[in-house]
Amino acid sequence: MTGTVTPRVPAAAGAVPHAPAGRVADTAPLDGARRAARTERLLGDPADPRNPHGYRALLDADDRRRIPEATEKLLTDTGLAAEFVPRELGGRLARPDVLARVLRPLFRRDVGLGFGYGVTSLFAASAVWAAGDDAQRARTARTLLDAGGGGVAILHHEFAHANAHMRDGFTARSTPGGGFVLGGRKDVVVNADRARAFVMYARTAASDGPESHSVLLLDGERLPPGGMRRLQRIPTAGMWGSRFSGVEFTDCQVPADTLVGEVGEGVSLALRTFMVNRCLIPGTVVAGADSALRLAVRAATTGRTAGQPARRHERVLAGVFADLLACDSMAVTGLRALSLLPDSAHLMAAAAKLTVPDLLRENLEELATVLGYHGYDRSPLYGGFQKLVRDLPLAGLGHTGSAACQAVLIPRLRTLARTSWLRTEEPTARLFQLSAPVPALDYRRLSLSGTDDALTAALVGACERLAPLRSAGPVWSALAGLADTFVQELRALREQCAAFPDSVHATLTDSRACALADRYALMLAAAACLGVWEGQDGMDTFLGQPAWVLLALSRIGRRIGLPVPELPDGVAESVLSEVLLRFREGRSFDVYDERISG
């Protein structure tokens, strides 16, 4: 391709290419790769019709609205639930990016399985990891380790204008003895029919406000008779094999030691811990989209000379692959930020959760044009595509998920524009170096207090480092120019957001603010792409080459409406070649480029 000579781009500020001599290396990335590979081997070749954990068995269970019991038993027997328990409590949870990597083999086969087994238990337990006392933390750890992935269920508080998963709520009335009397119901709860424990976000104040709710840890087997009723299972639009049912509390008395943290701390805990969920969902569902791209490549190349797709499909396959790498760059960066930047990771988390599910849904629509009639095939070979189309909106919580993320970003745009954008120093390069060590996640350190925007700072820094390479060839000239276009868009965004009114309410109800939040989130996706690309630090890998990041930024720029020039000759062809190579060699389409079964 034209311009394939790769000038070495200076490493970002704070780069640490090698650990100092004598320092013990962080083995978490290696351990995570091994654990992911082990889960991949245990689940086996998904295309093998004899595999009890393959597509045939998983699709059959989904069609019958049953959980894949054999696969869940395998996961329980092999101790996967330990991934959701902190190491100091007997589990293996230390780094969110490693956790997402370990879970991808599940999500690559079945998004519903990934949610139904375990990840929602982590969402529930997060409040206990963040604010529970020693006894509560130990009890929750035992429940997860003993019961497996479905051991703990989360009972969200009610959201305004919510869908069925976020409607309804619970109340907890304090009693003279220091306990609480619980009431209320929720009809759509993952694993409500089998959970041994519940983490409830209950209203404890009559008025709305930051101290309106509290968190309670409930042992399902110790509740008074008649106090809690498990409701019947209900049908859902997707994840047919997951167990969604309801739970109702009526005059249910619980002791004071069920309170997690302090009274009125529920909203704060939700805001702090949900940032982990918001990064983890994109970081796992990309594996489902990985499988969808694999199905499309199979359909486009089967029976074709030399395994080459028709020209009309080449642009779609290359573009979706670039989008997947962009989504994964954003998700992994957010996951690493939880450990490296715990006071400002909420910005990346909300932006990732706002952006990635929408990009993946767009990608599925594009891939449907490649699959053609195969997209409606219910057989094990292609049936996973329609299942993913059903499951992905449920994974992202649809409009409710987007609105919640906008509600995090919009109130902060004015402050970011006035104090952070184009002023903040770049973050450590370890944020983007996929195998570089990061501290273990400490839920207690997560906060929303940070006012620095690390990703926009990284965008500006990458633009400055690319500027001298404009004369190195067409590809480098295009990439440097596109990076500068994004920085100019950041300047325009700063001017618009700085003019927001002082009233947060007025801003939240302004449709222009929602549009600007969406644009801002896409800007962070572009910054994450550049960061991960630079994070290769000149290594001779596909991610270290400029083609994919140029294509990814071009597609992001068009979504924002930026002036994007035509790609130089050979860029799309280079990306397509990597797609076909990974398909033939059985390697994942994510940033880790791992061997997979089948």
Side-chain angles (χ1 to χ4, degrees):
M1 126 183 147
T2 304
T4 53
V5 176
T6 308
R8 185 177 178 85
V9 179
V16 186
H18 303 288
R23 180 174 297 177
V24 177
D26 179 14
T27 61
L30 182 60
D31 290 345
R34 288 173 176 166
R35 281 160 23 216
R38 177 174 179 265
T39 303
E40 186 74 33
R41 288 193 303 271
L42 288 169
L43 293 174
D45 182 355
D48 183 351
R50 298 165 299 178
N51 181 3
H53 316 296
Y55 287 140
R56 182 183 294 277
L58 294 173
L59 287 169
D60 180 62
D62 195 67
D63 285 341
R64 292 185 293 117
R65 273 63 169 179
R66 298 180 63 86
I67 64 169
E69 294 178 356
T71 305
E72 285 210 346
K73 184 177 186 305
L74 172 74
L75 299 175
T76 299
D77 291 346
T78 55
L80 187 72
E83 300 290 345
F84 313 122
V85 177
R87 283 191 301 195
E88 65 270 22
L89 295 172
R92 292 192 290 268
L93 177 60
R95 284 177 42 176
D97 59 329
V98 170
L99 171 62
R101 190 173 183 178
V102 173
L103 292 178
R104 288 187 185 191
L106 274 68
F107 281 81
R108 193 174 291 119
R109 289 159 173 79
D110 186 340
V111 169
L113 173 64
F115 269 85
Y117 189 91
V119 71
T120 49
S121 279
L122 176 64
F123 296 168
S126 294
V128 182
W129 305 153
D133 59 33
D134 290 344
Q136 290 170 334
R137 286 161 59 86
R139 188 164 70 248
T140 303
R142 285 196 302 270
T143 300
L144 280 170
L145 294 172
D146 294 344
V152 185
I154 184 170
L155 304 177
H156 288 287
H157 61 290
E158 181 180 9
F159 288 82
H161 311 296
N163 57 27
H165 303 278
M166 294 298 184
R167 275 200 301 268
D168 306 322
F170 302 94
T171 60
R173 188 178 72 254
S174 59
T175 63
F180 301 90
V181 177
L182 310 180
R185 68 181 279 165
K186 187 175 284 289
D187 292 316
V188 186
V189 179
V190 183
N191 294 323
D193 63 334
R194 59 173 173 170
R196 294 187 183 180
F198 298 88
V199 175
M200 173 191 285
Y201 287 79
R203 176 177 288 278
T204 49
S207 59
D208 290 330
E211 299 181 354
S212 60
H213 286 69
S214 303
V215 177
L216 304 175
L217 174 61
L218 310 175
D219 186 333
E221 298 178 354
R222 295 172 55 196
L223 295 175
M228 182 190 75
R229 183 166 66 98
R230 300 183 196 245
L231 307 178
Q232 65 181 7
R233 188 176 179 183
I234 68 161
T236 54
M239 298 189 192
W240 294 345
S242 298
R243 297 164 72 145
F244 290 91
S245 59
V247 61
E248 182 176 29
F249 291 84
T250 304
D251 294 329
C252 180
Q253 296 193 20
V254 296
D257 64 3
T258 59
L259 178 67
V260 177
E262 303 294 332
V263 172
E265 199 178 357
V267 173
S268 172
L269 276 173
L271 290 172
R272 287 159 49 201
T273 60
F274 282 16
M275 69 175 74
V276 179
N277 312 355
R278 287 173 177 148
C279 289
L280 195 58
I281 290 174
T284 51
V285 297
V286 292
D290 180 307
S291 293
L293 177 56
R294 197 167 308 279
L295 296 177
V297 175
R298 177 184 294 135
T301 57
T302 299
R304 299 280 303 178
T305 303
Q308 194 70 21
R311 290 188 61 84
R312 68 181 183 278
H313 294 150
E314 292 178 352
R315 179 187 61 81
V316 173
L317 296 177
V320 168
F321 179 41
D323 278 355
L324 271 181
L325 292 175
C327 290
D328 204 12
S329 296
M330 194 177 196
V332 171
T333 297
L335 288 163
R336 293 174 65 81
L338 294 168
S339 297
L340 285 168
L341 306 170
D343 61 342
S344 57
H346 59 284
L347 296 173
M348 301 180 214
K353 182 61 170 52
L354 179 62
T355 300
V356 171
D358 282 347
L359 290 184
L360 295 183
R361 281 192 289 269
E362 290 179 18
N363 289 163
L364 293 184
E365 292 173 2
E366 289 192 74
L367 292 178
T369 66
V370 177
L371 282 159
Y373 69 91
H374 290 302
Y376 300 95
D377 190 341
R378 298 295 297 274
S379 72
L381 193 59
Y382 290 102
F385 183 77
Q386 277 300 315
K387 177 169 167 34
L388 183 61
V389 170
R390 295 193 305 269
D391 290 352
L392 188 59
L394 202 60
L397 296 178
H399 166 72
T400 301
S402 298
C405 293
Q406 288 174 332
V408 171
L409 295 175
I410 290 173
R412 291 164 175 78
L413 292 179
R414 182 175 182 268
T415 299
L416 291 171
R418 295 189 173 194
T419 64
S420 178
W421 293 342
L422 303 169
R423 295 185 179 90
T424 298
E425 293 185 3
E426 282 193 76
T428 171
R430 285 183 296 154
L431 183 62
F432 306 108
Q433 294 168 340
L434 304 179
S435 60
V438 299
L441 172 66
D442 184 348
Y443 275 92
R444 298 172 190 266
R445 293 183 61 215
L446 296 174
S447 77
L448 285 76
S449 61
T451 57
D452 286 341
D453 188 341
L455 276 186
T456 56
L459 172 66
V460 174
C463 180
E464 292 173 351
R465 287 184 289 276
L466 279 166
L469 301 176
R470 284 181 180 268
S471 60
V475 172
W476 295 100
S477 177
L479 184 56
L482 195 51
D484 183 67
T485 298
F486 275 100
V487 172
Q488 297 311 314
E489 171 65 12
L490 178 62
R491 295 183 185 278
L493 194 67
R494 180 178 66 168
E495 183 176 343
Q496 291 172 291
C497 293
F500 279 170
D502 293 338
S503 169
V504 172
H505 176 75
T507 304
L508 282 170
T509 56
D510 188 338
S511 60
R512 294 173 301 170
C514 293
L516 290 175
D518 292 348
R519 293 171 73 86
Y520 166 66
L522 286 168
M523 295 281 291
L524 295 193
C529 288
L530 285 167
V532 168
W533 170 68
E534 279 196 317
Q536 299 299 300
D537 197 29
M539 290 187 290
D540 186 19
T541 64
F542 174 73
L543 281 187
Q545 298 299 316
W548 76 271
V549 72
L550 178 54
L551 180 54
L553 263 60
S554 296
R555 289 170 65 88
I556 294 171
R558 288 193 178 94
R559 288 183 174 97
I560 294 177
L562 302 179
V564 176
E566 290 296 320
L567 293 173
D569 291 342
V571 169
E573 291 81 359
S574 175
V575 177
L576 178 66
S577 294
E578 181 73 8
V579 173
L580 299 178
L581 180 63
R582 291 194 187 192
F583 175 76
R584 290 193 300 268
E585 296 185 351
R587 290 152 45 202
S588 62
F589 292 127
D590 58 15
V591 297
Y592 295 114
D593 188 16
E594 295 182 302
R595 291 281 181 182
I596 62 173
S597 302

